[in-house]
Each structure stands twice: as structure tokens, then as C-alpha cells.
């Protein structure tokens, strides 16, 4: 029997529910709930690759490192290394929860987490115009000193202080693609594409090299879904459905849309907020344009019902 392959991209809310629940225990609990819903998919016969966001976690790691540098002179880990650390800690929580839930359900299926690097183009226009704030707030003097010593780009953030900004380039290549393919073909539940991947570039010798950037996790997971020829891209986030005119009196929840409709609505600009829903819709569009059959956007608790067409927003080719 043909395997059905799904790429499931889980959002920040599968780990951090709100500001009051940011501890490791809270994240573990949230991951446990999401793991239950992913295991139900596995029970229904899906081979699943789980991708995840890492924004707050990378932010925490970087702020801890910056404080430790100020206080005791420890060297700050570069952003790509923080990305790798976040894949390790989040991957651990997801893997253990998936293993525990599979065992509770009596399903014998291995779980593996793949540390994953995503190649971006050095010439991506995002590098000439970095926009993603990262790390802690600084005074103007601290910020200017970092510009001089580290070559950072910094911006003044609405009167709250100065922050470093980095590029968010488009993902081009998944370095561990063949490894992920082999795992999925062997029936191994795979966790990968954490935070869109550790951003790397190819240098003049063709070698891989870490780069200070962040990759959109929805774009990274869309690229994986395309390269695996997955049957489904499922984006799990904090809302059950996608809305039109989100946050306005005209707001209307959508059960489904076609690829053509999604493209028109995205172009209209007023429906999906940039930085949150717009990249998810774009990720689904790229997947369907490349031959994908269906994409679903819903929240963790409705994954099962969304797969039966009862909840969530379905986007079809
Ligand atoms: P994630 O961590 O899952 O990537 P984001 O916060 O980036 O989550 O994106 C999901 C959020 O997008 C929703 O919780 C919602 O507040 C917001 N959003 C923006 N536009 C829309 C829309 N048109 N329909 C539904 N949600 C939207
Ligand atoms: Mg997001």
C-alpha cells in the first residue's frame, strides 16, 4: 500500500500557550497535547514529518547568552548555533512526547529528530534589508558599539530601545532532505525543519556555513512538503480556521478555498496579516502550485476533525 505522507508544521502555540506559560514544564505540557493529535494521525495511517517554530526559544537563548556575556564575559553563541540549540531542546520535547503517546496507544513506531540546515541564497534581497528583530533591547550606545564591533544592523523600536535586526531570506535547499526521505520511507516518525531550519549558505568553495538570519517556519515546511511530494501540508496554529478580513467587523471564517482563490485573496492584502497568516497561505500556495493536492490550516485540537473535512480550512489545488 502506498504511504500517505504529511508534513505537519506546528506553531508557537504548540509549545508556548501564552506569556504566563513559558517555562520548560509548560512547553512540555503543550507539546504533550499536540503529540496526542499527531499520534491520532499516525493511527489513521499517515507517515508524519513534524516541523516546528522556534521564535521565542531562540529569543530566550540569545537573551541568556547576551546577559551572560555582560555579567561574566561568556562568549555569545551566534544565531545559527542558537537555532541548532532550539532544534535540540524542542525536538527532545516533541520526540519524547510522541514516543510516550505512541506507546500509550500501543503503536510500535520509532521516532527520530533530525537536526536540519536550510540553505539560503547569500544574494537574497532580505540580506540587504534585514527586518526581523532578535535578542534583547539595548541602549543607543550599546547598539552602536555592536554595529562597530560585530557589524550588526540595529533599529530603534518604537521608543522601547534599540534592537538587532536580521534577514529572513527564502529557504532554497534542505541539506538533510535525503536523510529525511529515508526515515519517512522506513516508517520513522520524523521531527525536522525546526524554526524553518538552521540558516546556512554555501561559500565560494561550496562548503556550508552558518549565517545570521531567521527562516520562516511555514516556508521551510512548505519546501520540505514540495520536495517530499507529500500528500498533505498541515499547518497547526492558534486558530481553528482562516478568516477573511481578519480582525475587522467583516471577518468571515473560511471552510475551504481553492488555490486560485487563495492567490487572489492573498493579493488583495487585507485578509491575512503579514508575519502570521500571510506566510501560511503563501506556504500552502507554493505547495499546491508544485503539485500538492491539499493543505489544511487548523489548531492542534481540531487536526483529526479537519482531516475528515469537519473543521479547519482546507485549501485544494
Ligand atoms: P504560529 O506560531 O502558528 O506561526 P502566528 O501567530 O504566526 O502563529 O500566526 C497565527 C495567527 O495569525 C493567528 O493566531 C491569528 O491571530 C493571526 N491571523 C492573522 N490573519 C489571520 C486570518 N486571516 N485568519 C486567521 N488568523 C489570522
Ligand atoms: Mg508564525
Amino acid at each position: 500500500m502506498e504511504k500517505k505522507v504529511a508534513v505537519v508544521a506546528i506553531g508557537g502555540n504548540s509549545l508556548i500557550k501564552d506569556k504566563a506559560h513559558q517555562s520548560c514544564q509548560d512547553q512540555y505540557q503543550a507539546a504533550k497535547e499536540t503529540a496526542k493529535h499527531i499520534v491520532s494521525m499516525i493511527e489513521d495511517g499517515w507517515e508524519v514529518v513534524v516541523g516546528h517554530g522556534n521564535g521565542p526559544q531562540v529569543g530566550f537563548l540569545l537573551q541568556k547568552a547576551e546577559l551572560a556575556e555582560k555579567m561574566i564575559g561568556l562568549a555569545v553563541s551566534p544565531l545559527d548555533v542558537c537555532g541548532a540549540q532550539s532544534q535540540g531542546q524542542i525536538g527532545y520535547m516533541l520526540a519524547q512526547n510522541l514516543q510516550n503517546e505512541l506507546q500509550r496507544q500501543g503503536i510500535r513506531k520509532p521516532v527520530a529528530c533530525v537536526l536540519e540546515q536550510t540553505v539560503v541564497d547569500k544574494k537574497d534581497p532580505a540580506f540587504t534589508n534585514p527586518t526581523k528583530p532578535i535578542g534583547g533591547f539595548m541602549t543607543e550606545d550599546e547598539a552602536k558599539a555592536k554595529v562597530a564591533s560585530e557589524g550588526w544592523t540595529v533599529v530603534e523600536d518604537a521608543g522601547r530601545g534599540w534592537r538587532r535586526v536580521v534577514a529572513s531570506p527564502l529557504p532554497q535547499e534542505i541539506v538533510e532532505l535525503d536523510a529525511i526521505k529515508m526515515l519517512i520511507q522506513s516508517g520513522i516518525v520524523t521531527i525536522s525543519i525546526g524554526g524553518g531550519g538552521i540558516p546556512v549558505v554555501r561559500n565560494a568553495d561550496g562548503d556550508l556555513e552558518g549565517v545570521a538570519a531567521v527562516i520562516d517556519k511555514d516556508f521551510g515546511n512548505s519546501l520540505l512538503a514540495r520536495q517530499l511530494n507529500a500528500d498533505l501540508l498541515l499547518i497547526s496554529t492558534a486558530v481553528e480556521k482562516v478568516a477573511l478580513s481578519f480582525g475587522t467587523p467583516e471577518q468571515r471564517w473560511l471552510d475551504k478555498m481553492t488555490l486560485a482563490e487563495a492567490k487572489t485573496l492573498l493579493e488583495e492584502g487585507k485578509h491575512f496579516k503579514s508575519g502570521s497568516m500571510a506566510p501560511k497561505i503563501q506556504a500552502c500556495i507554493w505547495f499546491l502550485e508544485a503539485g500538492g493536492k491539499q493543505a489544511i490550516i487548523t489548531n492542534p485540537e481540531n487536526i483529526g476533525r479537519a482531516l475528515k473535512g469537519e473543521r479547519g480550512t482546507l485549501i485544494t489545488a
Side-chain angles (χ1 to χ4, degrees):
M1 201 181 89
E2 272 279 291
K3 288 178 190 287
K4 307 184 281 180
V5 175
V7 171
V8 179
I10 62 175
N13 71 309
S14 290
L15 297 156
I16 297 180
K17 296 251 174 236
D18 52 53
K19 279 241 151 64
H21 294 91
Q22 296 186 334
S23 72
C24 271
Q25 288 90 327
D26 292 328
Q27 291 188 44
Y28 189 86
Q29 199 52 43
K32 186 174 176 180
E33 283 168 31
T34 297
K36 277 191 206 151
H37 304 295
I38 295 174
V39 168
S40 321
M41 281 184 81
I42 295 168
E43 276 186 292
D44 285 344
W46 288 94
E47 299 294 338
V48 178
V49 188
V50 184
H52 60 83
N54 72 346
Q57 291 82 2
V58 167
F60 298 159
L61 286 166
L62 208 54
Q63 287 189 50
K64 284 181 197 172
E66 287 167 358
L67 266 179
E69 184 190 39
K70 265 193 199 157
M71 294 172 73
I72 52 173
L74 286 181
V76 173
S77 306
L79 200 49
D80 56 319
V81 175
C82 291
Q85 287 177 305
S86 77
Q87 286 189 355
Q89 68 186 49
I90 296 170
Y92 161 62
M93 290 191 195
L94 290 172
Q96 192 176 79
N97 276 304
L98 287 166
Q99 285 153 344
N100 288 341
E101 185 62 22
L102 285 165
Q103 185 181 296
R104 273 192 286 272
Q105 301 306 325
I107 304 171
R108 283 179 64 89
K109 218 166 161 54
V111 178
C113 177
V114 178
L115 197 76
E116 187 272 334
Q117 306 165 78
T118 300
V119 178
V120 298
D121 185 350
K122 265 187 197 163
K123 297 198 196 81
D124 192 301
F127 284 109
T128 44
N129 180 28
T131 53
K132 285 270 174 183
I134 187 108
F137 284 95
M138 298 170 281
T139 64
E140 186 169 355
D141 287 347
E142 285 167 341
K144 300 236 154 109
K146 286 291 189 187
V147 174
S149 67
E150 316 281 341
W152 286 7
T153 306
V154 295
V155 293
E156 217 275 77
D157 186 342
R160 294 190 297 168
W162 289 71
R163 279 186 99 185
R164 178 184 184 190
V165 283
V166 297
S168 185
L170 286 180
Q172 303 289 347
E173 180 193 334
I174 291 164
V175 176
E176 289 76 10
L177 179 65
D178 289 344
I180 296 170
K181 272 188 189 162
M182 287 180 206
L183 289 169
I184 279 297
Q185 277 158 8
S186 310
I188 297 172
V189 182
T190 307
I191 299 157
S192 199
I193 325 287
I198 303 165
V200 298
V201 291
R202 285 200 189 277
N203 68 20
D205 301 327
D207 285 351
L208 297 169
E209 211 172 83
V211 67
V214 292
I215 299 175
D216 185 285
K217 74 115 183 12
D218 297 312
F219 292 173
N221 281 282
S222 169
L223 178 62
L224 178 68
R226 278 172 269 159
Q227 304 215 319
L228 289 177
N229 291 319
D231 300 279
L232 169 70
L233 172 63
L234 194 155
I235 299 182
S236 167
T237 185
V239 280
E240 189 225 300
K241 283 182 207 283
V242 177
L244 291 184
S245 304
F246 183 73
T248 73
E250 290 81 53
Q251 176 174 305
R252 193 156 62 79
W253 299 109
L254 281 176
D255 295 331
K256 56 184 175 196
M257 56 183 150
T258 63
L259 167 60
E261 286 164 346
K263 285 167 80 168
T264 308
L265 292 166
L266 182 62
E267 271 165 28
E268 281 175 33
K270 64 174 182 180
H271 301 291
F272 317 125
K273 293 231 158 74
S274 65
S276 58
M277 189 52 74
K280 297 185 200 312
I281 302 294
Q282 182 64 71
C284 295
I285 289 173
W286 281 333
F287 172 61
L288 298 172
E289 280 180 340
K293 303 248 164 349
Q294 52 170 348
I296 291 173
I297 299 175
T298 193
N299 52 5
E301 54 270 43
N302 284 300
I303 289 176
R305 280 171 287 229
L307 287 166
K308 293 190 200 127
E310 297 165 5
R311 294 285 163 87
T313 301
L314 172 70
I315 314 173
T316 49

